[in-house]
């Protein structure tokens, strides 16, 4: 069962990477598909904040938005990484991370001419890994794949066909003993 879940997770990440590789084709055809990337701070929440420090987030995305409609869709692949809090986990090196593939709905909110506000949320698969350095410099890892969801808000600053954006979202992973986090990201969509 776990191997089947891992295979599906790997296939979803591969599909996301293939979609991103077609960015020049989509741009030249004037399709309503945009591609992008973002990075930023990822802050642990809930039980995860008891034993980890803030970390980082890196995301690649493809987004479908049809002009004059207030809704859109986004497929994204993300990495969130956190290091152990040395005050709470004494003598151990390592950290926790989440690799995820998410399908999100985007709802465009009333906006100004220069700034576009939106809400975003969806579901995904999260591969959660905890790694601990043990004697001799080797790492012991424990990984599990679980479903989860996310919700948040964002703001876009469009400049021609390119848009910068900032997002804040809350992610929670089901049945993962409190693996919750809040990435604050800056990105570009083209």
């Amino acid at each position: 069962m776990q191997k089947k879940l891992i295979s599906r997770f790997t296939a979803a990440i591969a599909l996301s990477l293939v979609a991103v590789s077609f960015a020049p084709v989509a741009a030249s055809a004037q399709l309503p598909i945009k591609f992008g990337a973002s990075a930023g701070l990822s802050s642990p929440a809930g039980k995860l904040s008891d034993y980890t420090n803030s970390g980082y987030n890196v995301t690649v995305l493809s987004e479908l938005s049809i002009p004059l409609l207030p809704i859109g869709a986004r497929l994204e692949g993300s990495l969130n990484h956190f290091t152990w809090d040395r005050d709470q986990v004494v003598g151990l090196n390592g950290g926790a991370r989440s690799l995820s593939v998410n399908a999100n709905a985007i709802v465009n909110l009333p906006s100004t001419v220069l700034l576009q506000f939106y809400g975003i949320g969806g579901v995904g698969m999260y591969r959660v890994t905890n790694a601990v350095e043990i004697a001799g410099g080797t790492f012991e890892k424990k990984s599990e794949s679980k479903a989860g969801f996310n919700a948040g808000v964002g703001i876009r600053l469009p400049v021609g066909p390119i848009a910068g954006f900032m997002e804040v979202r809350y992610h929670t992973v089901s049945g993962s003993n409190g693996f919750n986090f809040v990435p604050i990201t800056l990105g570009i969509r083209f």
Side-chain angles (χ1 to χ4, degrees):
M1 170 99 171
Q2 189 173 14
K3 286 184 180 183
K4 189 175 185 181
L5 191 57
I6 291 169
S7 295
R8 287 182 183 169
F9 182 76
T10 304
I13 287 177
L15 181 61
S16 296
L17 293 175
V18 167
V20 169
S21 70
F22 285 104
V25 174
S28 67
Q30 300 289 325
L31 294 176
I33 297 174
K34 305 284 186 184
F35 298 91
S38 66
L41 173 74
S42 196
S43 181
K47 289 182 182 179
L48 185 62
S49 67
D50 292 344
Y51 58 90
T52 64
N53 295 311
S54 292
Y56 62 87
N57 165 283
V58 179
T59 299
V60 294
L61 62 95
S62 64
E63 188 172 303
L64 172 67
S65 58
I66 299 172
L68 303 177
L69 287 181
I71 59 171
R74 181 190 290 176
L75 179 64
E76 61 189 14
S78 298
L79 166 67
N80 289 275
H81 185 270
F82 309 92
T83 58
W84 297 129
D85 182 345
R86 292 202 166 255
D87 294 335
Q88 301 299 321
V89 186
V90 178
L92 294 178
N93 290 321
R97 75 168 183 231
S98 167
L99 286 170
S100 63
V101 174
N102 288 287
N104 297 302
I106 297 173
V107 178
N108 294 306
L109 304 172
S111 302
T112 67
V113 175
L114 293 176
L115 300 175
Q116 300 172 347
F117 301 94
Y118 59 95
I120 185 168
V123 297
M125 286 301 297
Y126 294 77
R127 179 78 175 160
V128 176
T129 302
N130 290 305
V132 178
E133 184 178 2
I134 55 177
T138 61
F139 278 86
E140 180 179 306
K141 292 182 182 181
K142 179 184 176 203
S143 298
E144 60 182 354
S145 294
K146 300 282 184 174
F149 67 90
N150 71 86
V153 293
I155 185 168
R156 275 187 224 103
L157 176 60
V159 180
I162 298 173
F165 66 89
M166 183 178 100
E167 289 182 353
V168 177
R169 284 197 269 170
Y170 178 80
H171 290 254
T172 187
V173 181
S174 304
S176 64
N177 197 20
F179 204 94
N180 307 313
F181 54 96
V182 179
I184 302 168
T185 58
L186 294 174
I188 188 166
R189 193 186 73 167
F190 50 92

